[in-house]
Protein backbone atom coordinates (compact mmCIF):
# COMPACT_ATOMS: atom_id res chain seq x y z
CA UNK A 1 0.00 0.00 0.00
CA UNK A 2 2.72 2.45 0.93
CA UNK A 3 4.91 1.72 -2.08
CA UNK A 4 3.32 4.22 -4.47
CA UNK A 5 2.42 7.03 -2.09
CA UNK A 6 3.41 10.41 -3.54
CA UNK A 7 5.22 12.81 -1.22
CA UNK A 8 3.02 15.69 -0.03
CA UNK A 9 4.29 19.25 -0.51
CA UNK A 10 5.79 20.94 2.57
CA UNK A 11 3.52 23.10 4.75
CA UNK A 12 3.24 26.65 3.37
CA UNK A 13 4.35 28.16 6.71
CA UNK A 14 6.15 25.57 8.85
CA UNK A 15 7.82 24.03 5.77
CA UNK A 16 9.52 27.37 5.11
CA UNK A 17 10.66 27.67 8.71
CA UNK A 18 12.31 24.26 8.33
CA UNK A 19 14.01 25.38 5.10
CA UNK A 20 15.34 28.40 7.04
CA UNK A 21 16.75 26.10 9.73
CA UNK A 22 18.63 24.12 7.08
CA UNK A 23 20.18 27.26 5.49
CA UNK A 24 23.88 27.51 6.52
CA UNK A 25 24.10 31.31 5.82
CA UNK A 26 24.94 33.01 9.17
CA UNK A 27 23.13 36.18 8.01
CA UNK A 28 19.86 34.39 7.24
CA UNK A 29 16.61 36.03 8.37
CA UNK A 30 13.47 34.14 9.41
CA UNK A 31 10.26 36.06 8.65
CA UNK A 32 8.09 32.96 8.29
CA UNK A 33 5.98 31.71 11.22
CA UNK A 34 4.02 34.15 13.37
CA UNK A 35 6.01 33.66 16.56
CA UNK A 36 6.92 36.69 18.66
CA UNK A 37 10.63 37.41 19.01
CA UNK A 38 12.34 40.13 21.01
CA UNK A 39 14.99 42.56 19.75
CA UNK A 40 17.59 39.81 20.16
CA UNK A 41 15.57 37.35 18.05
CA UNK A 42 14.59 35.19 21.04
CA UNK A 43 11.13 33.90 22.02
CA UNK A 44 11.32 34.01 25.83
CA UNK A 45 8.58 32.57 28.02
CA UNK A 46 6.57 35.45 29.50
CA UNK A 47 7.46 36.20 33.14
CA UNK A 48 3.75 36.01 34.04
CA UNK A 49 3.63 32.52 32.51
CA UNK A 50 6.69 31.41 34.53
CA UNK A 51 5.05 32.75 37.71
CA UNK A 52 1.83 30.88 36.91
CA UNK A 53 3.82 27.68 36.30
CA UNK A 54 5.52 28.02 39.68
CA UNK A 55 2.10 28.33 41.32
CA UNK A 56 0.78 25.29 39.49
CA UNK A 57 3.82 23.27 40.53
CA UNK A 58 3.53 24.39 44.15
CA UNK A 59 -0.15 23.43 44.20
CA UNK A 60 0.73 19.85 43.28
CA UNK A 61 -2.29 18.58 41.45
CA UNK A 62 -2.93 15.47 39.45
CA UNK A 63 -2.39 14.24 35.90
CA UNK A 64 -5.83 12.68 35.71
CA UNK A 65 -7.96 13.46 32.65
CA UNK A 66 -9.72 16.77 32.28
CA UNK A 67 -13.38 16.60 31.26
CA UNK A 68 -13.92 16.47 27.46
CA UNK A 69 -14.88 20.11 27.70
CA UNK A 70 -11.94 21.23 29.87
CA UNK A 71 -12.41 23.00 33.19
CA UNK A 72 -15.32 25.28 34.00
CA UNK A 73 -12.90 27.93 35.30
CA UNK A 74 -11.05 28.10 31.97
CA UNK A 75 -14.31 28.34 30.00
CA UNK A 76 -15.70 31.10 32.22
CA UNK A 77 -12.45 33.09 32.05
CA UNK A 78 -12.40 32.89 28.24
CA UNK A 79 -16.01 33.97 27.95
CA UNK A 80 -15.35 37.04 30.12
CA UNK A 81 -12.19 37.81 28.14
CA UNK A 82 -13.85 37.57 24.75
CA UNK A 83 -17.33 38.90 25.36
CA UNK A 84 -16.70 41.08 28.42
CA UNK A 85 -18.33 40.36 31.79
CA UNK A 86 -22.03 41.17 31.64
CA UNK A 87 -22.44 40.74 27.87
CA UNK A 88 -26.12 39.96 27.17
CA UNK A 89 -25.27 36.60 25.56
CA UNK A 90 -23.56 35.60 28.83
CA UNK A 91 -26.29 36.78 31.17
CA UNK A 92 -28.88 35.03 28.99
CA UNK A 93 -26.97 31.73 29.25
CA UNK A 94 -26.45 31.48 25.49
CA UNK A 95 -22.69 30.83 25.56
CA UNK A 96 -20.66 27.62 25.94
CA UNK A 97 -16.89 27.18 25.67
CA UNK A 98 -14.72 24.15 25.09
CA UNK A 99 -10.97 24.08 25.83
CA UNK A 100 -9.12 22.99 22.68
CA UNK A 101 -5.44 22.27 21.97
CA UNK A 102 -4.70 25.58 20.24
CA UNK A 103 -6.73 27.64 17.80
CA UNK A 104 -6.20 25.08 15.04
CA UNK A 105 -8.02 22.36 16.98
CA UNK A 106 -10.79 24.86 17.75
CA UNK A 107 -11.20 25.44 14.01
CA UNK A 108 -11.12 21.73 13.24
CA UNK A 109 -13.66 20.87 15.94
CA UNK A 110 -15.91 23.67 14.65
CA UNK A 111 -15.47 22.25 11.14
CA UNK A 112 -16.26 18.68 12.28
CA UNK A 113 -19.35 19.94 14.11
CA UNK A 114 -20.56 21.89 11.06
CA UNK A 115 -19.90 19.03 8.67
CA UNK A 116 -21.79 16.45 10.73
CA UNK A 117 -24.66 18.63 11.95
CA UNK A 118 -25.35 21.05 9.10
CA UNK A 119 -24.98 19.19 5.79
CA UNK A 120 -24.99 21.26 2.61
CA UNK A 121 -23.36 24.38 4.00
CA UNK A 122 -20.38 26.13 2.41
CA UNK A 123 -17.54 27.76 4.31
CA UNK A 124 -16.44 31.16 3.02
CA UNK A 125 -12.91 32.37 3.65
CA UNK A 126 -11.44 35.80 3.01
CA UNK A 127 -9.10 36.11 0.02
CA UNK A 128 -6.38 35.96 1.21
CA UNK A 129 -6.50 34.20 4.56
CA UNK A 130 -4.31 32.12 6.91
CA UNK A 131 -2.72 29.39 4.79
CA UNK A 132 -4.11 26.65 7.06
CA UNK A 133 -7.78 27.70 6.96
CA UNK A 134 -8.61 25.93 3.73
CA UNK A 135 -6.80 22.68 4.68
CA UNK A 136 -8.61 22.56 8.05
CA UNK A 137 -12.11 23.00 6.63
CA UNK A 138 -11.42 20.84 3.58
CA UNK A 139 -10.07 18.06 5.80
CA UNK A 140 -13.43 18.01 7.57
CA UNK A 141 -15.10 17.55 4.18
CA UNK A 142 -16.66 21.00 3.91
CA UNK A 143 -16.84 22.89 0.61
CA UNK A 144 -14.72 26.06 0.81
CA UNK A 145 -15.07 29.25 -1.23
CA UNK A 146 -13.56 32.71 -1.05
CA UNK A 147 -14.85 36.23 -0.45
CA UNK A 148 -13.07 39.34 -1.72
CA UNK A 149 -11.26 40.98 1.19
CA UNK A 150 -8.21 42.94 0.12
CA UNK A 151 -7.91 45.77 -2.36
CA UNK A 152 -4.39 44.80 -3.40
CA UNK A 153 -3.61 48.05 -5.22
CA UNK A 154 -4.66 50.27 -2.32
CA UNK A 155 -3.68 47.82 0.47
CA UNK A 156 -7.10 48.41 2.04
CA UNK A 157 -10.22 46.45 2.85
CA UNK A 158 -12.24 45.74 -0.30
CA UNK A 159 -15.39 46.71 1.59
CA UNK A 160 -17.74 47.10 -1.38
CA UNK A 161 -16.77 43.75 -2.89
CA UNK A 162 -17.01 42.02 0.46
CA UNK A 163 -20.45 43.48 1.25
CA UNK A 164 -21.71 42.63 -2.23
CA UNK A 165 -20.55 39.02 -1.92
CA UNK A 166 -22.07 38.68 1.57
CA UNK A 167 -25.37 40.17 0.35
CA UNK A 168 -26.06 37.10 -1.80
CA UNK A 169 -24.91 34.36 0.58
CA UNK A 170 -27.31 31.49 1.16
CA UNK A 171 -28.68 31.38 4.72
CA UNK A 172 -26.66 29.13 6.99
CA UNK A 173 -23.38 29.41 5.12
CA UNK A 174 -20.37 30.02 7.33
CA UNK A 175 -18.22 33.14 7.03
CA UNK A 176 -14.76 32.89 8.58
CA UNK A 177 -13.53 36.32 9.68
CA UNK A 178 -10.49 37.28 11.72
CA UNK A 179 -11.52 38.96 14.97
CA UNK A 180 -8.54 41.31 14.75
CA UNK A 181 -5.07 41.51 13.16
CA UNK A 182 -6.12 39.79 9.94
CA UNK A 183 -3.58 37.13 8.95
CA UNK A 184 -1.85 37.62 6.52
CA UNK A 185 -2.86 41.16 5.50
CA UNK A 186 -2.88 43.13 8.79
CA UNK A 187 -5.93 44.91 7.34
CA UNK A 188 -8.93 44.98 9.72
CA UNK A 189 -12.36 46.53 9.16
CA UNK A 190 -12.88 49.78 11.08
CA UNK A 191 -15.59 49.76 13.81
CA UNK A 192 -18.06 51.32 11.32
CA UNK A 193 -17.17 48.69 8.70
CA UNK A 194 -17.63 45.90 11.27
CA UNK A 195 -21.10 47.27 11.96
CA UNK A 196 -21.92 47.07 8.26
CA UNK A 197 -20.57 43.53 8.01
CA UNK A 198 -22.51 42.45 11.11
CA UNK A 199 -25.74 43.89 9.72
CA UNK A 200 -25.47 42.06 6.41
CA UNK A 201 -24.46 38.78 8.13
CA UNK A 202 -27.54 39.08 10.36
CA UNK A 203 -29.75 39.93 7.41
CA UNK A 204 -28.48 36.94 5.37
CA UNK A 205 -28.67 34.65 8.42
CA UNK A 206 -25.12 33.56 7.73
CA UNK A 207 -23.08 32.06 10.57
CA UNK A 208 -19.95 34.08 11.42
CA UNK A 209 -16.98 32.08 12.66
CA UNK A 210 -14.41 34.40 14.18
CA UNK A 211 -10.80 33.30 14.31
CA UNK A 212 -9.16 35.20 17.17
CA UNK A 213 -5.46 34.36 17.28
CA UNK A 214 -3.89 37.78 17.87
CA UNK A 215 -6.07 39.40 20.52
CA UNK A 216 -4.20 42.32 22.05
CA UNK A 217 -1.69 42.74 19.24
CA UNK A 218 -3.47 45.63 17.50
CA UNK A 219 -4.58 48.14 20.17
CA UNK A 220 -5.14 46.09 23.35
CA UNK A 221 -7.41 43.31 24.61
CA UNK A 222 -10.55 45.39 25.13
CA UNK A 223 -10.14 47.37 21.89
CA UNK A 224 -9.38 44.25 19.85
CA UNK A 225 -12.37 42.39 21.30
CA UNK A 226 -14.79 45.16 20.30
CA UNK A 227 -15.56 43.67 16.88
CA UNK A 228 -16.47 40.23 18.16
CA UNK A 229 -18.55 41.76 20.97
CA UNK A 230 -20.42 43.84 18.44
CA UNK A 231 -21.05 40.77 16.30
CA UNK A 232 -22.29 38.84 19.32
CA UNK A 233 -24.82 41.63 19.90
CA UNK A 234 -25.94 41.81 16.27
CA UNK A 235 -26.20 38.18 15.18
CA UNK A 236 -28.01 35.51 17.22
CA UNK A 237 -25.50 32.73 16.52
CA UNK A 238 -21.73 32.80 16.37
CA UNK A 239 -18.66 30.58 16.71
CA UNK A 240 -15.38 31.94 18.12
CA UNK A 241 -12.07 30.10 17.80
CA UNK A 242 -9.50 31.56 20.16
CA UNK A 243 -5.79 30.92 20.62
CA UNK A 244 -3.35 31.89 23.39
CA UNK A 245 -0.30 30.86 21.33
CA UNK A 246 0.60 34.46 20.53
CA UNK A 247 -1.03 36.63 23.19
CA UNK A 248 0.35 34.53 26.07
CA UNK A 249 3.29 33.07 24.12
CA UNK A 250 2.02 29.55 24.86
CA UNK A 251 2.80 28.20 21.38
CA UNK A 252 3.89 24.69 22.25
CA UNK A 253 1.43 24.24 25.10
CA UNK A 254 -1.40 24.26 22.54
CA UNK A 255 -3.96 26.40 24.38
CA UNK A 256 -7.13 27.53 22.67
CA UNK A 257 -10.89 27.41 22.84
CA UNK A 258 -14.07 27.11 20.84
CA UNK A 259 -16.96 29.27 22.01
CA UNK A 260 -20.52 28.75 20.83
CA UNK A 261 -23.03 31.59 21.04
CA UNK A 262 -26.56 30.34 20.24
CA UNK A 263 -30.05 31.81 20.26
CA UNK A 264 -31.14 30.33 23.61
CA UNK A 265 -30.10 28.03 26.46
CA UNK A 266 -31.48 24.82 24.96
CA UNK A 267 -29.85 25.45 21.58
CA UNK A 268 -26.55 26.21 23.29
CA UNK A 269 -26.67 22.92 25.22
CA UNK A 270 -27.58 20.96 22.08
CA UNK A 271 -24.74 22.45 20.01
CA UNK A 272 -22.32 21.92 22.91
CA UNK A 273 -23.31 18.24 23.11
CA UNK A 274 -22.46 17.83 19.42
CA UNK A 275 -19.20 19.73 19.78
CA UNK A 276 -18.21 17.44 22.66
CA UNK A 277 -18.84 14.39 20.48
CA UNK A 278 -16.51 15.88 17.87
CA UNK A 279 -13.84 16.44 20.55
CA UNK A 280 -14.17 12.89 21.88
CA UNK A 281 -13.73 11.47 18.37
CA UNK A 282 -10.69 13.67 17.77
CA UNK A 283 -8.30 14.30 20.69
CA UNK A 284 -10.65 13.02 23.44
CA UNK A 285 -9.95 15.73 26.02
CA UNK A 286 -7.60 18.71 26.28
CA UNK A 287 -4.09 18.90 27.78
CA UNK A 288 -4.24 20.57 31.20
CA UNK A 289 -1.01 22.48 31.73
CA UNK A 290 -1.43 25.37 29.29
CA UNK A 291 -5.08 25.81 30.22
CA UNK A 292 -4.05 26.03 33.88
CA UNK A 293 -1.56 28.78 33.05
CA UNK A 294 -4.09 30.71 30.95
CA UNK A 295 -6.74 30.46 33.68
CA UNK A 296 -4.33 31.97 36.22
CA UNK A 297 -3.31 34.77 33.86
CA UNK A 298 -6.96 35.62 33.26
CA UNK A 299 -8.28 35.19 36.82
CA UNK A 300 -5.50 36.36 39.13
CA UNK A 301 -5.32 40.16 39.33
CA UNK A 302 -1.56 40.32 39.82
CA UNK A 303 -0.68 37.82 37.08
CA UNK A 304 -3.17 39.41 34.74
CA UNK A 305 -1.63 42.85 35.21
CA UNK A 306 1.86 41.45 34.58
CA UNK A 307 0.65 39.60 31.47
CA UNK A 308 -1.02 42.70 30.05
CA UNK A 309 2.17 44.72 30.60
CA UNK A 310 4.20 42.12 28.70
CA UNK A 311 1.60 41.98 25.94
CA UNK A 312 1.77 45.77 25.60
CA UNK A 313 5.55 45.55 25.25
CA UNK A 314 5.25 42.94 22.47
CA UNK A 315 2.69 45.13 20.71
CA UNK A 316 4.90 48.20 20.97
CA UNK A 317 7.97 46.39 19.63
CA UNK A 318 6.07 45.10 16.60
CA UNK A 319 4.81 48.62 15.88
CA UNK A 320 8.31 50.02 16.19
CA UNK A 321 9.74 47.47 13.76
CA UNK A 322 6.87 48.00 11.35
CA UNK A 323 7.56 51.74 11.25
CA UNK A 324 11.32 51.24 10.94
CA UNK A 325 10.80 48.80 8.07
CA UNK A 326 8.61 51.31 6.23
CA UNK A 327 11.14 54.08 6.94
CA UNK A 328 14.15 51.97 5.90
CA UNK A 329 12.53 51.18 2.57
CA UNK A 330 11.57 54.82 2.09
CA UNK A 331 15.19 55.86 2.71
CA UNK A 332 16.32 53.48 -0.03
CA UNK A 333 13.80 54.85 -2.51
CA UNK A 334 11.81 51.59 -2.48
CA UNK A 335 8.09 51.99 -3.09
CA UNK A 336 6.15 48.81 -2.45
CA UNK A 337 2.96 50.42 -3.72
CA UNK A 338 1.99 53.37 -5.88
CA UNK A 339 1.13 55.20 -2.66
CA UNK A 340 4.52 54.47 -1.06
CA UNK A 341 5.19 52.31 2.00
CA UNK A 342 2.89 53.99 4.50
CA UNK A 343 0.53 51.00 4.29
CA UNK A 344 3.14 48.85 6.06
CA UNK A 345 2.97 51.07 9.14
CA UNK A 346 -0.85 51.02 9.02
CA UNK A 347 -1.14 47.23 9.08
CA UNK A 348 -2.02 45.63 12.42
CA UNK A 349 -0.79 42.62 14.34
CA UNK A 350 2.16 40.38 13.68
CA UNK A 351 2.35 40.54 9.91
CA UNK A 352 3.17 42.89 7.10
CA UNK A 353 1.56 41.99 3.80
CA UNK A 354 4.32 43.52 1.74
CA UNK A 355 2.92 43.25 -1.77
CA UNK A 356 6.19 41.58 -2.82
CA UNK A 357 5.50 39.17 -5.68
CA UNK A 358 6.36 35.47 -5.56
CA UNK A 359 9.39 36.01 -7.84
CA UNK A 360 10.74 38.71 -5.48
CA UNK A 361 10.15 36.47 -2.48
CA UNK A 362 12.05 33.69 -4.27
CA UNK A 363 14.93 36.08 -5.02
CA UNK A 364 15.10 37.16 -1.37
CA UNK A 365 15.46 33.54 -0.36
CA UNK A 366 17.86 32.54 -3.15
CA UNK A 367 20.15 35.58 -3.10
CA UNK A 368 19.84 36.83 0.50
CA UNK A 369 18.74 33.86 2.65
CA UNK A 370 15.69 35.84 3.73
CA UNK A 371 12.60 33.69 4.26
CA UNK A 372 9.04 35.01 4.03
CA UNK A 373 5.82 33.45 2.77
CA UNK A 374 5.28 33.14 -0.97
CA UNK A 375 2.28 35.47 -0.57
CA UNK A 376 4.65 38.28 0.42
CA UNK A 377 3.70 38.01 4.12
CA UNK A 378 6.47 39.15 6.47
CA UNK A 379 6.37 38.11 10.11
CA UNK A 380 7.37 41.45 11.61
CA UNK A 381 8.32 39.62 14.80
CA UNK A 382 11.40 38.35 12.95
CA UNK A 383 12.60 41.90 12.24
CA UNK A 384 14.99 43.36 14.82
CA UNK A 385 17.56 46.16 15.07
CA UNK A 386 20.30 43.66 14.16
CA UNK A 387 18.83 42.57 10.82
CA UNK A 388 16.71 45.55 9.75
CA UNK A 389 19.32 47.24 7.56
CA UNK A 390 20.23 44.00 5.82
CA UNK A 391 16.55 43.27 5.23
CA UNK A 392 15.90 46.72 3.75
CA UNK A 393 19.00 46.44 1.52
CA UNK A 394 17.83 43.06 0.26
CA UNK A 395 14.29 44.24 -0.45
CA UNK A 396 15.77 47.25 -2.27
CA UNK A 397 17.78 44.83 -4.41
CA UNK A 398 14.68 42.91 -5.55
CA UNK A 399 11.91 45.53 -5.47
CA UNK A 400 11.16 48.47 -7.76
CA UNK A 401 12.53 51.89 -6.75
CA UNK A 402 11.02 55.24 -7.45
CA UNK A 403 12.85 57.21 -10.12
CA UNK A 404 15.59 59.43 -8.66
C1 LIG B 1 1.22 31.76 11.29
O1 LIG B 1 0.33 32.11 10.53
O2 LIG B 1 2.43 31.87 11.01
C2 LIG B 1 0.87 31.22 12.64
O3 LIG B 1 -0.50 31.24 12.84
C3 LIG B 1 1.45 29.88 12.91
C4 LIG B 1 0.74 28.79 12.18
O4 LIG B 1 0.25 27.86 12.84
O5 LIG B 1 0.65 28.83 10.95
Amino acid sequence: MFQDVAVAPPDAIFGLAEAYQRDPDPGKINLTVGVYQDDAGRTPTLAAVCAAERRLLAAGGSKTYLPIRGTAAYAAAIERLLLGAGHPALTEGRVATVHTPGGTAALRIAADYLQTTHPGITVWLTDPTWANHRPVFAAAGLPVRELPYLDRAEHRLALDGLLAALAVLPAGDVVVLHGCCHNPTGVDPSPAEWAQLAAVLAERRALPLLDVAYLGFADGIEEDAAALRLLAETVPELLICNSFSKSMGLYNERVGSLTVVAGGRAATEAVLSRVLRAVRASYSNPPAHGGGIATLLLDDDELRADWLTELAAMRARLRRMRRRLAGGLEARGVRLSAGGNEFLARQRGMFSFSGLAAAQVAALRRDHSIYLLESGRISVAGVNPGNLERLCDAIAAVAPRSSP
Side-chain angles (χ1 to χ4, degrees), residues 11 13-14 32-35 104 130-132 183 213-214 246 254 351 373 377 379:
D11 182 72
I13 298 176
F14 281 94
T32 59
V33 187
V35 172
T104 306
W130 179 46
N132 205 25
N183 176 4
Y214 295 87
K246 333 282 172 171
R254 312 306 300 137
F351 305 112
L373 302 200
R377 188 192 85 172
S379 177

Side-chain angles (χ1 to χ4, degrees), residues 221-290:
I221 294 282
E222 295 301 310
E223 296 86 341
D224 295 359
L228 74 90
R229 291 176 190 176
L230 170 88
L231 263 173
E233 276 166 29
T234 315
V235 301
E237 298 176 343
L238 179 68
L239 296 175
I240 307 170
C241 298
N242 162 65
S243 166
F244 288 124
S245 294
K246 333 282 172 171
S247 59
M248 293 185 181
L250 289 172
Y251 307 92
N252 67 19
E253 294 294 353
R254 312 306 300 137
V255 199
S257 56
L258 169 60
T259 295
V260 176
V261 180
R265 272 177 206 274
T268 307
E269 285 305 314
V271 174
L272 175 65
S273 73
R274 300 272 157 195
V275 166
L276 294 179
R277 284 181 81 106
V279 170
R280 181 70 174 132
S282 177
Y283 56 85
S284 191
N285 45 65
H289 186 65

Side-chain angles (χ1 to χ4, degrees), residues 283-298:
Y283 56 85
S284 191
N285 45 65
H289 186 65
I293 298 168
T295 307
L296 279 172
L297 262 55
L298 293 169

Side-chain angles (χ1 to χ4, degrees), residues 110-136:
D112 286 343
Y113 159 77
L114 291 166
Q115 199 277 335
T116 52
T117 316
H118 303 282
I121 60 159
T122 294
V123 174
W124 294 84
L125 304 175
T126 60
D127 171 28
T129 194
W130 179 46
N132 205 25
H133 271 155
R134 182 181 282 273
V136 167

Side-chain angles (χ1 to χ4, degrees), residues 134-150:
R134 182 181 282 273
V136 167
F137 289 103
L142 287 161
V144 178
R145 297 182 63 184
E146 288 183 343
L147 296 162
Y149 187 82
L150 185 69

